[in-house]
């Protein structure tokens, strides 16, 4: 996948806690701002911290939001729609 700036991105890549943190910092977002962006509520920043240090698993929905926000692109929905159930990654 290529974003508007011509940068190549691996669609469907498994986002690591380190990659999530790197993307957040590159966007200039604090953990609290990231939690607000994701509408996580009052203790959201604590959850973001837990994801980044590996104390809690990084939810797929949070990885998708970060990928969209950090790349400016939406994943290829046709590819997702046409993917067979057996090929879909475990949630």
């Amino acid at each position: 996948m290529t974003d508007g700036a011509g940068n190549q991105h691996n669609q469907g890549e498994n986002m690591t806690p380190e990659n999530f943190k790197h993307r957040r910092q590159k966007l200039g977002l604090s953990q609290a701002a990231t939690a607000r962006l994701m509408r996580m509520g009052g203790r959201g920043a604590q959850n973001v911290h837990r994801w980044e240090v590996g104390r809690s698993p990084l939810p797929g929905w949070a990885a998708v939001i970060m990928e969209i926000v950090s790349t400016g692109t939406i994943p290829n929905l046709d590819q997702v729609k046409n993917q067979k159930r057996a090929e879909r990654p475990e949630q």
Side-chain angles (χ1 to χ4, degrees), residues 13-71:
E13 95 183 303
N14 292 323
M15 189 174 298
T16 64
E18 295 82 12
N19 186 255
F20 184 92
K21 181 177 181 178
H22 173 77
R23 289 176 187 231
R24 174 184 63 76
Q25 291 175 330
K26 191 170 180 182
L27 289 166
L29 295 172
S30 65
Q31 292 173 339
T34 301
R36 286 192 300 275
L37 172 71
M38 296 185 180
R39 312 292 195 267
M40 295 175 62
R43 296 190 182 262
Q46 291 175 343
N47 287 325
V48 172
H49 172 76
R50 288 183 187 116
W51 301 339
E52 291 180 352
V53 298
R55 283 177 46 211
S56 295
L58 177 63
W61 60 265
V64 169
I65 291 171
M66 182 56 75
E67 182 176 350
I68 292 169
V69 170
S70 66
T71 65

